[in-house]
C-alpha cells in the first residue's frame, strides 16, 4: 500500500532522499512480487491469438476449402501490436487487470474473422474489403491504446480538464452537422468525412469525453445533488435548479434523435449519464426521473418522427407482411433473425453459413452473422466474454480509490454493457433496432478506436487500484 | 458508492440475462418455425446443396428425380414422365419455389424433416453427402395412364381411390403443363413460361382433380340427397313422389323439368330408386323441398363438403352453401344452385358408400424411405368418418347399380362386373356449356376402386352431350384398368 502511494503521489519537487527511497522500494517490490498479473495476461493473450488464428483458418477452410497465408500474416502483424501493448503494460502499468486485454483481443479477432468471412462471400478484396480496413483500423486503435497508456501516467490528470472534455464532446457531436463535413449513412447524420478518404464517427470519441466530463462534474457536485430536495412517496427528489444538468443531457440526447436520427447513440449517452449520476448520488430518484424523461421523449419521437415509429412497428410485429414489405420496415431485422435461427444451437460452422444474405452483416448485424455460424453456443460465449469485460470494469470501479476514477471506470464499463445490450437486444427483438457499433466486433474504425481507448483507460485505472483495498472496501 | 455499484452490477447481469433469453428463444425455441418461413431464403439455398429425394410410384416408376447440373444449384430436377403427373408432383424450382407434392413433402425430400433427425446424425458421422428421402406415392401408373388416355384432350379431371384404404390410385387433370419447363434454372425462360401458363384462360396450373376450379355436381349430387333421405328415417328407396312433367318452384315462375323434358316413366308416382336410376329432376326437387336445406347440408358435410382436407395436397373444399331458400333447396337437390364439388369430393362420396359407409382418408403418399432404405414414415389407412350406416350404404349401392345397369348411367357398364355409379350433367348458366360428371365404384359388392370424372365445356360436343355420353366411358376405362391388372 505504501509503495503504491509513494509511486503515485511522489511530488515533482521531491527531495533526492525520497527519490532514492522510492528507487530502493521499487527494486525491493520487484524482487518480492513477481509480475504474476502480466504473466497471466501473456498466457491468456497467447490463448486469445490461438483462438483468433483458429477462427480465421476455419473461415478459410469453410468458405474457400484452403488456407490463404496472406491475411493470416496481416493478422499476425496485428497480434504483434497487441503484444506490444502487453509489453508497455509490463513497464508502465504492471498491476493492471490481466483479463481485459485478452478478452478485447479475442473479441476483436472474432469480429475480424467474421468480417473477412463476409468479404469472401461477397468476393471483395483489397481496399474495398471491409476486413482490410478493419485490420488497419484495429492497428490504429491498438496504437491509440498504447499512446493512452504511455501518455496518461495518472488518470487524475483528466479530472483537471473536466469541462474541457465536456466542451470537446459537445463540439465532436456537432461536427456531423457542419455542412460539407457531415455525412449521412443509413439515414443517420453521425459521420464526418474529408473527401472520400476518411469516414469517422466523432460520436464514438465523444462517448469517452462525455464519460470523463460526467465523472468529473458529478464528483464536484454530487453532494448538492444527493442531499438537497423534497421527499415524495419515500423518495427524495432533487430541487428544480439541480435538475439543470440532467435536462441538458436529456436535451442533447433528444437533439441527437431529432437532428442526427440516431436513437442508439442517444440511448447510450443518456443511459451512461443516468447510471453515473445514480452511482454518484446513491439516489434512485435520478434513475426514475431519467428513465421517465427518456421514455417520454422516445414515445414522443415514435409518434412524431417517421423513422422512429417505423422502427417501433418493425420491432413489435416484424413478421407481418406489411411491415416486412415496407421501405425501412422489418425486412432487414427479419433477415438477421432468419440468420440466427439458421444457426440453431451449434451453428453452421465458420465459413459455412450464409450471413451475407443479411444486409449490414459485417456491422450492425455482426452478432447475427456470428450467431449463424457459431450457433447459440458461440453467441453465449461471446456474450459471456462481454459480461467478463464489463464485470472487470465494474470491479476496477470497485477497487479504485478516488471517486473520479471509480465513476469513470463505471461509466466506461457500463457503456460497453449498454452498447452490447442495444445492439444484441436490437437484433434479437428485446428492444427496437437502432444503429450502434457492437464493441470490438462490428466493422467500423471510430468505434474500434474508441473501444480500445476505453480498454486503455480501464487498464490504467486498474493499475492504480490496489488489490489490498478489495479486502477492506470503503463504504 | 459500493452499494450503488453492486446494484449497477445487478442491472448489467439483468441486461445480459435478457440477451441470453432472447437469443435462446430465436436460436433454440423458434429455430424450426423460422426455418419454415417461406421468406427464409437460407432454407432454400441450403436445399440446393442436398440431392433432393426422388418421387416414385410403388412399382418403381420414377416421376421426379434430381440429376447433377453444372451450375450453382448443383442439381437439376427432372420429370421423366413429362406432363402426366404434373398435377400430382407439381414442380420444384430452386428460384421460383415448389408446388404439389414437391412442396407438400419438401421437408422429407430435402431430408430436413424432424423424422429424419437420427438418419441425418448417422449420415454426418459417416461423412456421407446430404441426400433427401424418397417419397413413394400410392398412384398406380397403369391406372394413371388409362385415366389420362381416356380423358384425352378434354378439359377436366379424373380421380380414382381405393375405397378400403383411401389410397389415391390416379389423379389426372387436363389441360396441364410439363413440369420440366418449370424446373429449368434459366430464370427468364421459367418466368416467360409461368406468365404464359398464368395467362392461359384454361388455367393449366390448376389441378382440377382437387379443385381450385369447382363445378356444380349436377345429378351426381342426387346420391347425397338420397343418402340424406335414407338417413332421415322418413324415406326408403321405395318411397313414392308425384310424377308430373315439371314442377314450378314455390314462390317463383321457374319450372324444373327432367333432363328428357318428359315425366319420369309412365306412372302417376315415381320411387326414389327410379328417380336415381333415370336421373329425374322433378321428384328429386320435391324430395329436396321436403327434406329441407339443413338435412341435405348435414349429409353433404358428412361426405366432406365445406371441410378442408390435405391428401397431403390441399383439396379445395366443395361447397354446399348456407342460407338457401325453398327454391334454392329444390335446385340443390339435383346439384344446381350454388352447390360446387371437386372430383376428389365426388370420388370420396362413392368410396364412402362403396366401403359400407366408412370413409377412409384419401392419401397420395404410401411411405417415405430414407437413402439408407429405412422407412422414415408410412401412411397407414386412416378412417376419416362414418358417412352412412351399412344398411343405407347397401340401399344406395343398389340404386347406383341400377343406374349403371339399366339407367341413365349405362355407358359405364362392364361385362361381368357390377358397377355402381351416377352421372351428372350440370348447367352453368342458360347458354353456357355443361359440366359432365360420373362418380361410382366397382365391383359394387366389394369395391376395388371408386372413381370420379369431371369434364368441363360439354366435352367439346355442345349441348347434346351428357355425363353419360362423355364421362361414363372415361370412368369405365379407369375401372377396367384397376380390375384387369
Amino acid at each position: 500500500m505504501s509503495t503504491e502511494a509513494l509511486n503515485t503521489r511522489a511530488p515533482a519537487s521531491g527531495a533526492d532522499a525520497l527519490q532514492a527511497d522510492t528507487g530502493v522500494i521499487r527494486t525491493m517490490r520487484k524482487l518480492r512480487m513477481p509480475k504474476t498479473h502480466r504473466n497471466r495476461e501473456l498466457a491468456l493473450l497467447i490463448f486469445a491469438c490461438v483462438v483468433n488464428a483458429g477462427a480465421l483458418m476455419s473461415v478459410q477452410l469453410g468458405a474457400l476449402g484452403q488456407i490463404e497465408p496472406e491475411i493470416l500474416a496481416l493478422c499476425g502483424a496485428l497480434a504483434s501490436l497487441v503484444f506490444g501493448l502487453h509489453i508497455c503494460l509490463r513497464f508502465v502499468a504492471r498491476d493492471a487487470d490481466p483479463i481485459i486485454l485478452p478478452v478485447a483481443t479475442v473479441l476483436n479477432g472474432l469480429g475480424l474473422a467474421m468480417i473477412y468471412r463476409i468479404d469472401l462471400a461477397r468476393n471483395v478484396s483489397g481496399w474495398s474489403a471491409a476486413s482490410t480496413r478493419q485490420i488497419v483500423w484495429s492497428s490504429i486503435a491498438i496504437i491509440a491504446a498504447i499512446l493512452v497508456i504511455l501518455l496518461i501516467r495518472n488518470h487524475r490528470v483528466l479530472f483537471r480538464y473536466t469541462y474541457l472534455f465536456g466542451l470537446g464532446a459537445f463540439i465532436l457531436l456537432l461536427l456531423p452537422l457542419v455542412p460539407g463535413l457531415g455525412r449521412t449513412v443509413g439515414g443517420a447524420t453521425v459521420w464526418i468525412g474529408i473527401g472520400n478518404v476518411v469516414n469517422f464517427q466523432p460520436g464514438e470519441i465523444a462517448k469517452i469525453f462525455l464519460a470523463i466530463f460526467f465523472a468529473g462534474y458529478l464528483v464536484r457536485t454530487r453532494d448538492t445533488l444527493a442531499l438537497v430536495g423534497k421527499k415524495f412517496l419515500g423518495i427524495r427528489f432533487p430541487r428544480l435548479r439541480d435538475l439543470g444538468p440532467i435536462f441538458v443531457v436529456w436535451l442533447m440526447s433528444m437533439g441527437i434523435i431529432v437532428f442526427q436520427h440516431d436513437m442508439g447513440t442517444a440511448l447510450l449517452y443518456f443511459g451512461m449519464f443516468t447510471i453515473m449520476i445514480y452511482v454518484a448520488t446513491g439516489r434512485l430518484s435520478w434513475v426514475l426521473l431519467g428513465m421517465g424523461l427518456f421514455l417520454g421523449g422516445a414515445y414522443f419521437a415514435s409518434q412524431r418522427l417517421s423513422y422512429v415509429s417505423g422502427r417501433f412497428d418493425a420491432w413489435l410485429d416484424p413478421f407481418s407482411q406489411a411491415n416486412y414489405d415496407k421501405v425501412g420496415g422489418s425486412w432487414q431485422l427479419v433477415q438477421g433473425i432468419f440468420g440466427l435461427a439458421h444457426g440453431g444451437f451449434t451453428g453452421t460452422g465458420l465459413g459455412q453459413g450464409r450471413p451475407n444474405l443479411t444486409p449490414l452483416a459485417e456491422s450492425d448485424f455482426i452478432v447475427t452473422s456470428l450467431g449463424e455460424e457459431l450457433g447459440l453456443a458461440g453467441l453465449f460465449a461471446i456474450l459471456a466474454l462481454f459480461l467478463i469485460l464489463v464485470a472487470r470494469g465494474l470491479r476496477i470501479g470497485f477497487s479504485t480509490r478516488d471517486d473520479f476514477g471509480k465513476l469513470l471506470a463505471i461509466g466506461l464499463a457500463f457503456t460497453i454493457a449498454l452498447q452490447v445490450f442495444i445492439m444484441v437486444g436490437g437484433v434479437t427483438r428485446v428492444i427496437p433496432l437502432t444503429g450502434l457499433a457492437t464493441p470490438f466486433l462490428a466493422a467500423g474504425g471510430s468505434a474500434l478506436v474508441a473501444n480500445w481507448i476505453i480498454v486503455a483507460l480501464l487498464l490504467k485505472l486498474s493499475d492504480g487500484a490496489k488489490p489490498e483495498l478489495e479486502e477492506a472496501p470503503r463504504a | 458508492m459500493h452499494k450503488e455499484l453492486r446494484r449497477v452490477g445487478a442491472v448489467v447481469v439483468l441486461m445480459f440475462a435478457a440477451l441470453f433469453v432472447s437469443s435462446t428463444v430465436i436460436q433454440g425455441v423458434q429455430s424450426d418455425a423460422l426455418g419454415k418461413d417461406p421468406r427464409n431464403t437460407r432454407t432454400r439455398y441450403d436445399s440446393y446443396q442436398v440431392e433432393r429425394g426422388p418421387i416414385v410410384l410403388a412399382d418403381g416408376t420414377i416421376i421426379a428425380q434430381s440429376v447433377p447440373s453444372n451450375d450453382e444449384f448443383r442439381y437439376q430436377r427432372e420429370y421423366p414422365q413429362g406432363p402426366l403427373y404434373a398435377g400430382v408432383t407439381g414442380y420444384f424450382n430452386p428460384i421460383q419455389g415448389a408446388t404439389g407434392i414437391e412442396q407438400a413433402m419438401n421437408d422429407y425430400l430435402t431430408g430436413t424433416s424432424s423424422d429424419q433427425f437420427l438418419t441425418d446424425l448417422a449420415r454426418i458421422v459417416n461423412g456421407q453427402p446430404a441426400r433427401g428421402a424418397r417419397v413413394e406415392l400410392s398412384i398406380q401408373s397403369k391406372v394413371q395412364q388409362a385415366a389420362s388416355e381416356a380423358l384425352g384432350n378434354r378439359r377436366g379431371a379424373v380421380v380414382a381411390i381405393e375405397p378400403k384404404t383411401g389410397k389415391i390410385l390416379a389423379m389426372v387433370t387436363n389441360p396441364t403443363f410439363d413440369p420440366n419447363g418449370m424446373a429449368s434454372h434459366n430464370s427468364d425462360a421459367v418466368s416467360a413460361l409461368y406468365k404464359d401458363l398464368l395467362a392461359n384462360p384454361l388455367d393449366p396450373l390448376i389441378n382440377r382433380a382437387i379443385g381450385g376450379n369447382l363445378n356444380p355436381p349436377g345429378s351426381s349430387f342426387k346420391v347425397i340427397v338420397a343418402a340424406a333421405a335414407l338417413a332421415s328415417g322418413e324415406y326408403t328407396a321405395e318411397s313414392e313422389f308425384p310424377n308430373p312433367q315439371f314442377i314450378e318452384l314455390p314462390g317463383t315462375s321457374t319450372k324444373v323439368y327432367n333432363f328428357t323434358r318428359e315425366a319420369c316413366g309412365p306412372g302417376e308416382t315415381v320411387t326414389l330408386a327410379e328417380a336415381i336410376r333415370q336421373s329425374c329432376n322433378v321428384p328429386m326437387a320435391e324430395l329436396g323441398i321436403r327434406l329441407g336445406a339443413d338435412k341435405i347440408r348435414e349429409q353433404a358435410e358428412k361426405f366432406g363438403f365445406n371441410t378442408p382436407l390435405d391428401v397431403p395436397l390441399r383439396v379445395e373444399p366443395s361447397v354446399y352453401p348456407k342460407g338457401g331458400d325453398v327454391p334454392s333447396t329444390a335446385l340443390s337437390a339435383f346439384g344446381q344452385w350454388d352447390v360446387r364439388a371437386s372430383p376428389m369430393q365426388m370420388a370420396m362420396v362413392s368410396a364412402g358408400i362403396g366401403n359400407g359407409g366408412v370413409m377412409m382418408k384419401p392419401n397420395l403418399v404410401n411411405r417415405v424411405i430414407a437413402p439408407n432404405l429405412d422407412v422414415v414414415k408410412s401412411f397407414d389407412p386412416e378412417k376419416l368418418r362414418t358417412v352412412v350406416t351399412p344398411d343405407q350404404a347397401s340401399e344406395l349401392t343398389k340404386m347406383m347399380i341400377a343406374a349403371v345397369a339399366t339407367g341413365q348411367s349405362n355407358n359405364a357398364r362392364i361385362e361381368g362386373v357390377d358397377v355402381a355409379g351416377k352421372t351428372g350433367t350440370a348447367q352453368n348458366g342458360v347458354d353456357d356449356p355443361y359440366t359432365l360428371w360420373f362418380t361410382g365404384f366397382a365391383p359394387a359388392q366389394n369395391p376395388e376402386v371408386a372413381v370420379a370424372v369431371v369434364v368441363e365445356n360439354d366435352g367439346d360436343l355442345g349441348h347434346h352431350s351428357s355425363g353419360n355420353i362423355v364421362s361414363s366411358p372415361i370412368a369405365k376405362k379407369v375401372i377396367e384398368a384397376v380390375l384387369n391388372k
Side-chain angles (χ1 to χ4, degrees):
Chain A
M1 146 127 212
S2 56
T3 53
E4 184 60 26
L6 284 169
N7 259 341
T8 51
R9 287 184 193 162
S13 60
D16 285 352
L18 192 58
Q19 283 201 334
D21 242 12
T22 36
V24 170
I25 290 165
R26 262 191 206 149
T27 321
M28 279 174 62
R29 199 181 69 174
K30 267 182 195 166
L31 287 174
R32 224 171 343 118
M33 291 173 54
K35 298 172 183 171
T36 49
H37 271 28
R38 297 279 71 75
N39 291 340
R40 205 177 293 163
E41 181 177 78
L42 181 62
L44 286 173
L45 260 187
I46 291 169
F47 182 61
C49 288
V50 169
V51 170
N52 288 346
L56 270 174
M57 287 194 278
S58 303
V59 164
Q60 291 184 335
L61 286 175
L64 300 172
Q66 61 188 47
I67 300 285
E68 285 197 352
E70 197 180 323
I71 189 104
L72 284 172
L74 279 174
C75 292
L78 200 55
S80 68
L81 277 176
V82 177
F83 283 104
L85 178 54
H86 164 76
I87 291 166
C88 287
L89 290 176
R90 279 192 179 260
F91 283 105
V92 300
R94 43 181 285 153
D95 290 325
D97 187 289
I99 312 279
I100 291 180
L101 183 57
V103 169
T105 304
V106 88
L107 286 171
N108 200 156
L110 286 179
L112 191 53
M114 184 44 68
I115 295 163
Y116 172 59
R117 189 258 168 280
I118 289 157
D119 284 337
L120 287 180
R122 294 190 180 146
N123 212 2
V124 287
S125 58
W127 284 113
S128 54
S131 53
T132 316
R133 277 173 280 147
Q134 186 80 346
I135 291 174
V136 173
W137 275 115
S138 298
S139 50
I140 292 173
I142 297 167
I143 290 169
I146 293 175
L147 289 178
V148 168
I149 298 263
L150 292 177
L151 293 179
I152 302 175
R153 300 305 292 256
N154 188 326
H155 66 266
R156 263 159 294 192
V157 176
L158 303 173
F159 182 62
R160 236 182 276 160
Y161 302 112
T162 301
Y163 291 97
L164 210 57
F165 278 110
L167 183 68
F170 191 63
I171 292 170
L172 283 172
L173 280 178
L174 286 182
L175 277 181
L177 295 177
V178 174
L181 202 59
R183 299 269 185 278
T184 302
V185 179
T189 317
V190 293
W191 297 80
I192 56 167
I194 301 154
N196 252 340
V197 188
V198 183
N199 277 317
F200 203 78
Q201 231 177 324
E204 289 287 346
I205 303 297
K207 174 173 75 185
I208 302 171
F209 282 20
L210 279 176
I212 297 171
F213 167 65
F214 290 159
Y217 170 80
L218 289 169
V219 165
R220 285 186 172 89
T221 55
R222 67 196 184 110
D223 290 344
T224 342
L225 295 175
L227 300 175
V228 195
K230 286 209 173 70
K231 255 193 162 173
F232 180 71
L233 290 174
I235 300 170
R236 191 179 296 279
F237 280 91
R239 290 183 306 188
L240 208 56
R241 61 174 169 180
D242 292 332
L243 287 174
I246 198 166
F247 267 123
V248 170
V249 178
W250 180 72
L251 278 176
M252 182 184 79
S253 304
M254 290 300 134
I256 291 169
I257 292 182
V258 174
F259 296 112
Q260 302 188 335
H261 285 192
D262 189 359
M263 223 161 34
T265 305
L267 180 57
L268 177 65
Y269 293 164
F270 201 73
M272 177 172 78
F273 180 71
T274 310
I275 286 295
M276 287 173 80
I277 201 172
Y278 168 68
V279 175
T281 62
R283 293 208 2 221
L284 208 59
S285 57
W286 283 113
V287 177
L288 297 177
L289 207 70
M291 278 169 60
L293 276 174
F294 192 84
L295 290 179
Y299 177 76
F300 183 74
S302 74
Q303 299 297 308
R304 304 298 292 271
L305 297 171
S306 63
Y307 90 97
V308 181
S309 68
R311 292 282 172 86
F312 267 81
D313 291 345
W315 171 51
L316 291 172
D317 191 11
F319 293 101
S320 85
Q321 198 63 40
N323 284 336
Y324 187 80
D325 291 335
K326 199 158 63 182
V327 175
S330 62
W331 178 77
Q332 194 180 15
L333 174 63
V334 169
Q335 298 313 307
I337 290 175
F338 282 158
L340 279 178
H342 195 61
F345 284 106
T346 50
T348 59
L350 279 171
Q352 296 174 329
R354 305 174 195 282
N356 51 303
L357 292 179
T358 309
L360 300 179
E362 77 290 352
S363 53
D364 284 12
F365 283 86
I366 189 87
V367 167
T368 66
S369 304
L370 286 161
E372 177 172 353
E373 298 213 322
L374 296 175
L376 185 62
L379 193 53
F380 266 33
I382 288 169
L383 288 174
L385 284 172
F386 276 119
L387 193 55
I388 289 170
L389 191 62
V390 175
R392 297 309 286 191
L394 294 179
R395 189 171 178 272
I396 293 165
F398 221 89
S399 47
T400 301
R401 284 176 303 172
D402 64 298
D403 287 346
F404 171 72
K406 264 187 201 305
L407 274 179
L408 184 55
I410 293 158
L412 293 176
F414 192 73
T415 54
I416 293 178
L418 201 53
Q419 286 181 82
V420 173
F421 180 72
I422 290 171
M423 280 323 292
V424 183
V427 297
T428 59
R429 285 185 64 210
V430 177
I431 55 168
L433 179 64
T434 61
L436 261 190
T438 314
F440 302 106
L441 296 177
S446 10
L448 265 183
V449 171
N451 286 312
W452 273 102
I453 290 177
I454 290 177
V455 162
L457 288 173
L458 286 175
L459 286 170
K460 197 71 211 172
L461 285 164
S462 67
D463 185 46
K466 284 299 297 170
E468 287 93 324
L469 279 176
E470 288 166 35
E471 288 150 27
R474 295 195 312 174
Chain B
M1 244 185 205
H2 286 172
K3 189 183 72 186
E4 288 79 30
L5 233 164
R6 253 180 240 118
R7 286 192 181 152
V8 172
V11 168
V12 168
V13 167
L14 279 182
M15 277 160 51
F16 274 81
L19 302 182
F20 282 119
V21 170
S22 65
S23 49
T24 307
V25 167
I26 292 174
Q27 299 201 267
V29 183
Q30 300 175 337
S31 173
D32 277 354
L34 288 166
K36 287 192 180 124
D37 193 307
R39 297 170 292 193
N40 192 336
T41 45
R42 282 173 173 83
T43 312
R44 205 168 69 208
Y45 279 115
D46 265 9
S47 64
Y48 302 165
Q49 306 306 317
V50 177
E51 184 184 341
R52 198 176 170 82
I55 303 175
V56 301
L57 304 184
D59 65 8
T61 312
I62 294 170
I63 59 176
Q65 64 185 351
S66 285
V67 295
S69 71
N70 289 324
D71 55 14
E72 57 179 311
F73 304 112
R74 296 189 48 188
Y75 295 100
Q76 167 72 53
R77 199 65 167 164
E78 207 178 71
Y79 301 88
Q81 313 296 321
L84 180 57
Y85 294 90
V88 177
T89 58
Y91 59 83
F92 170 80
N93 186 305
I95 310 149
Q96 307 282 334
T99 63
I101 285 288
E102 293 276 27
Q103 183 198 29
M105 299 299 285
N106 188 51
D107 281 3
Y108 292 104
L109 291 167
T110 56
T112 52
S113 110
S114 49
D115 293 346
Q116 276 149 282
F117 181 68
L118 287 178
T119 337
D120 207 39
L121 270 188
R123 177 190 66 72
I124 290 168
V125 171
N126 297 333
Q128 291 160 341
R131 279 170 69 193
R134 174 152 51 115
V135 170
E136 186 188 287
L137 302 184
S138 57
I139 303 258
Q140 290 183 358
S141 52
K142 188 177 63 177
V143 185
Q144 180 85 358
Q145 199 79 43
S148 174
E149 276 165 20
L151 185 60
N153 290 328
R154 300 181 189 92
R155 197 204 305 174
V158 178
V159 172
I161 304 178
E162 191 171 77
K164 291 189 187 75
T165 59
K167 284 183 180 181
I168 297 171
L169 304 177
M171 184 189 273
V172 170
T173 176
N174 194 55
T176 185
F177 61 97
D178 187 347
N180 287 305
M182 284 305 296
S184 162
H185 294 173
N186 178 340
S187 233
D188 296 338
V190 171
S191 297
L193 176 62
Y194 186 66
K195 260 184 213 153
D196 276 1
L197 291 170
L198 269 189
N200 188 330
L202 301 182
D203 289 329
L205 287 173
I206 287 182
N207 182 350
R208 287 170 156 74
I210 52 176
N213 196 21
L214 297 174
N215 279 286
S219 300
S220 63
F221 192 76
K222 287 172 183 165
V223 176
I224 295 169
V225 179
L230 298 183
S232 72
E234 292 163 29
Y235 303 93
T236 64
E238 300 312 317
S239 297
E240 305 214 341
F241 297 90
N243 185 23
Q245 197 191 353
F246 63 86
I247 59 166
E248 204 168 272
L249 295 181
T252 69
S253 56
T254 310
K255 289 174 183 160
V256 168
Y257 290 90
N258 294 321
F259 188 68
T260 53
R261 293 255 157 186
E262 288 163 19
C264 199
E268 281 297 303
T269 57
V270 59
T271 62
L272 173 59
E274 191 61 11
I276 294 288
R277 187 179 75 85
Q278 298 213 38
S279 196
C280 297
N281 296 339
V282 175
M284 292 309 288
E286 177 68 27
L287 169 61
I289 293 170
R290 292 191 197 171
L291 279 173
D294 287 344
K295 280 202 173 125
I296 300 176
R297 185 172 52 248
E298 194 184 318
Q299 185 62 50
E301 286 179 353
K302 271 192 187 166
F303 277 113
F305 277 70
N306 300 341
T307 316
L309 177 73
D310 293 323
V311 294
L313 304 186
R314 172 53 58 94
V315 179
E316 176 88 8
S318 298
V319 183
Y320 188 93
K322 279 189 176 156
D325 53 13
V326 174
S328 315
T329 307
L331 292 171
S332 80
F334 48 98
Q336 295 291 160
W337 179 46
D338 290 336
V339 182
R340 296 289 180 272
S342 66
M344 174 59 76
Q345 173 63 69
M346 294 318 290
M348 285 163 70
V349 170
S350 287
I353 294 169
N355 198 37
V358 177
M359 185 186 277
M360 304 303 287
K361 184 178 182 299
N363 201 341
L364 265 173
V365 184
N366 271 353
R367 50 190 187 153
V368 179
I369 304 156
N372 64 1
L373 302 184
D374 280 352
V375 176
V376 177
K377 188 170 173 69
S378 64
F379 292 82
D380 296 325
E382 194 183 326
K383 182 184 161 180
L384 194 59
R385 64 181 88 82
T386 302
V387 290
V388 287
T389 66
D391 287 349
Q392 291 158 4
S394 111
E395 282 298 293
L396 290 165
T397 304
K398 275 184 208 154
M399 291 189 244
M400 289 169 78
I401 293 173
V404 173
T406 58
Q408 262 299 318
S409 311
N410 59 357
N411 282 341
R413 215 157 42 193
I414 299 172
E415 209 58 51
V417 179
D418 275 346
V419 177
K422 182 73 198 78
T423 51
T425 306
Q427 295 177 12
N428 288 289
V430 183
D431 293 321
D432 292 339
Y434 295 147
T435 302
L436 313 174
W437 288 86
F438 178 91
T439 181
F441 53 93
Q445 302 313 325
N446 187 20
E448 290 176 37
V449 60
V451 62
V453 176
V454 70
V455 175
E456 296 173 2
N457 194 34
D458 290 336
D460 307 322
L461 295 176
H463 266 196
H464 63 272
S465 69
S466 74
N468 195 37
I469 292 174
V470 176
S471 296
S472 298
I474 299 173
K476 177 184 171 183
K477 293 213 176 91
V478 176
I479 295 169
E480 282 172 342
V482 176
L483 299 184
N484 298 342
K485 49 182 160 181

